Each structure stands twice: as structure tokens, then as C-alpha cells.
């Protein structure tokens, strides 16, 4: 049973474009929603995270939008750059994060110049 | 160096062999996790530990054994490796304040 569904599997955008990656969750107990970024040959690293008390969070060019009623959240990357090319994973857990993360299957993003 | 390390980084083993993957963190984080990453499946939890001598199963624990005698170490053992265990294995740790820090991974091939 997949508790976090992520789409699309892969995404190609032009430099400067705004890729959007979507995730949906099922477990209403989840209240912590991080996004991890992974470069080839490396471990995932936390990019940005949100909790349900806000509907949007921005950190630099990265924005999470959160819709609690729809149980969906998404990652937007503004002014995307080739260096943003990586695999992105959404995840969910019960805060404060000492419980295991449930990951989506990942989105491979390619930003072409 | 501070951080989380995994060894070996690459391992090739034969079906039926026992193999142990090591994970070491220098932050004294209470919580540690083992995930496996497979194409099309993302990251799936194998086992996790809330403290020394406390471990619990994750989504895909069959064929794996863990131990945690010291806070800083969390080894993962494949008792009798199978081809389906060919994967990239990631260890992670957290103090419990949300962010999980991942190691660089071990790429395991079972022939």
C-alpha cells in the first residue's frame, strides 16, 4: 500500500522554467512533509519542509504548496537552473520526525539550457 | 570528520552469503534508519532504531537483521543474500527534530 503518491516520474524543463512536482498522501495522521533532493551517487538531502499550519512555504527558489483538505502538496522550483537537475522525493511522517519517513517514488528532473 | 558514514560503498557478493553493511554517525543522534532504494520504488524503510538496543521493523524487513549496541553504530546484516536484495542502501539519522541526515549509500550487487 503506497501511502505517498508522487508524480510525474520524470520531468524535463527549459532553464528558467518552473517545474512542479505533486504528491498526495493518505494517512491523515501525517503532519510533516519534507522534500529531499538527491544527486547521482549521493544520499538524499533535505531541501525544504512544511507542516499543515501553513499553506505555503518558500526558501529561495523553492516553494512548497500545501492543501490539507485535498491531502496534497507540491514543490515548485522558480527560475530553474541546470544545477537543479536531480531526483526529488516527497515524504511524510508524524512530527517531529523521529518516526520513519514514508517516501514517494521520486521524480527525476532535468533542466536543459 | 563529523557526519554519517557508510561502509563499504560498493559490495559484490554471491547468493547465500552473509554480508554486513556498516553505518556510523558522530552526532550522537538517537534515531537511525535503514532504507533501500530501487528504481520505481523510491526509498523504502527496512529497519529503524530509536536508541541503543531498541529496533523496529519497517516496510521491507524480511531477510535483514539489525543491531544497535552503541548509539553511533547501526549495522545491517543480510543473513543469506538473494538477488532481490541487489539495491542501494542508505542509512540515516536524526536527533528527533525533523531533519533526517542520510549517508552516501552502499551499492550492493548480489550475483
Amino acid at each position: 500500500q503506497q501511502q505517498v503518491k508522487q508524480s510525474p516520474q520524470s520531468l524535463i524543463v527549459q532553464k528558467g522554467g518552473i517545474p512542479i512536482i505533486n504528491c498526495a498522501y493518505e494517512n491523515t495522521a501525517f503532519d510533516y512533509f519534507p522534500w529531499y533532493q538527491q544527486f547521482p551517487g549521493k544520499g538524499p538531502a533535505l531541501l525544504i519542509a512544511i507542516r499543515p499550519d501553513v499553506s505555503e512555504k518558500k526558501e529561495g527558489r523553492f516553494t512548497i504548496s500545501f492543501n490539507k483538505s485535498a491531502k496534497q502538496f507540491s514543490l515548485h522550483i522558480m527560475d530553474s537552473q541546470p544545477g537543479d537537475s536531480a531526483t526529488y522525493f516527497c515524504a511524510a511522517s508524524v512530527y517531529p520526525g523521529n518516526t520513519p519517513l514514508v517516501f514517494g517514488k521520486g521524480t527525476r528532473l532535468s533542466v536543459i539550457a | 570528520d563529523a557526519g554519517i558514514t557508510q561502509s563499504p560503498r560498493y559490495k559484490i557478493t554471491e547468493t547465500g552469503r552473509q554480508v554486513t553493511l556498516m553505518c556510523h554517525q558522530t552526532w550522537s543522534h538517537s534515531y537511525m534508519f535503514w532504507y533501500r532504494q530501487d528504481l520505481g520504488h523510491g526509498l523504502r524503510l527496512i529497519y529503524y532504531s530509536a536508541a541503543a538496543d531498541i529496533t523496529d521493523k519497517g516496510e521491507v524487513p524480511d531477510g535483514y537483521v539489525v543491531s544497535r549496541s552503541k548509539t553511533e553504530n547501526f549495522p545491517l546484516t543480510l543473513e543469506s543474500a538473494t538477488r532481490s536484495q541487489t539495491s542501494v542502501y542508505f542509512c540515516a539519522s536524526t536527533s528527533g527534530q525533523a531533519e533526517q541526515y542520510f549517508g552516501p549509500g552502499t551499492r550492493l550487487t548480489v550475483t
Side-chain angles (χ1 to χ4, degrees), chain A residues 10-14 108-112:
Chain A
S10 62
L11 191 54
I12 301 173
V13 299
Q14 296 277 353
R108 179 173 289 185
L109 172 66
S110 296
V111 181
I112 54 178

Side-chain angles (χ1 to χ4, degrees), chain A residues 1-24:
Chain A
Q1 181 183 4
Q2 184 186 1
Q3 295 189 55
V4 178
K5 294 184 179 180
Q6 183 173 346
S7 63
Q9 278 188 298
S10 62
L11 191 54
I12 301 173
V13 299
Q14 296 277 353
K15 178 182 174 182
I18 306 175
I20 300 172
I21 305 170
N22 300 299
C23 285

Side-chain angles (χ1 to χ4, degrees), chain A residues 48-100:
Chain A
I48 186 173
I50 196 168
R51 299 202 59 212
D53 52 338
V54 296
S55 60
E56 187 175 275
K57 183 175 181 180
K58 292 183 180 180
E59 287 187 4
R61 296 183 294 108
F62 300 92
T63 299
I64 299 179
S65 297
F66 183 78
N67 185 329
K68 186 174 181 178
S69 61
K71 294 188 286 185
Q72 295 176 346
F73 58 110
S74 59
L75 176 70
H76 297 62
I77 306 175
M78 308 302 289
D79 187 28
S80 59
Q81 301 296 313
D84 296 329
S85 298
T87 299
Y88 293 81
F89 293 96
C90 63
S93 74
V94 177
Y95 193 78
N98 52 11
T99 55

Side-chain angles (χ1 to χ4, degrees), chain B residues 46-89:
Chain B
I46 305 171
Y47 269 96
Y48 64 104
S49 169
D53 298 322
I54 301 175
T55 62
D56 208 347
K57 295 179 180 179
E59 180 186 355
V60 288
D62 293 344
Y64 303 95
V65 175
V66 293
S67 62
R68 189 144 178 234
S69 57
K70 293 184 178 181
T71 299
E72 61 267 29
N73 297 325
F74 191 35
L76 176 73
T77 298
L78 288 66
E79 294 187 298
S80 178
T82 65
R83 290 195 180 91
S84 65
Q85 293 177 309
T86 292
S87 186
V88 181
Y89 291 86

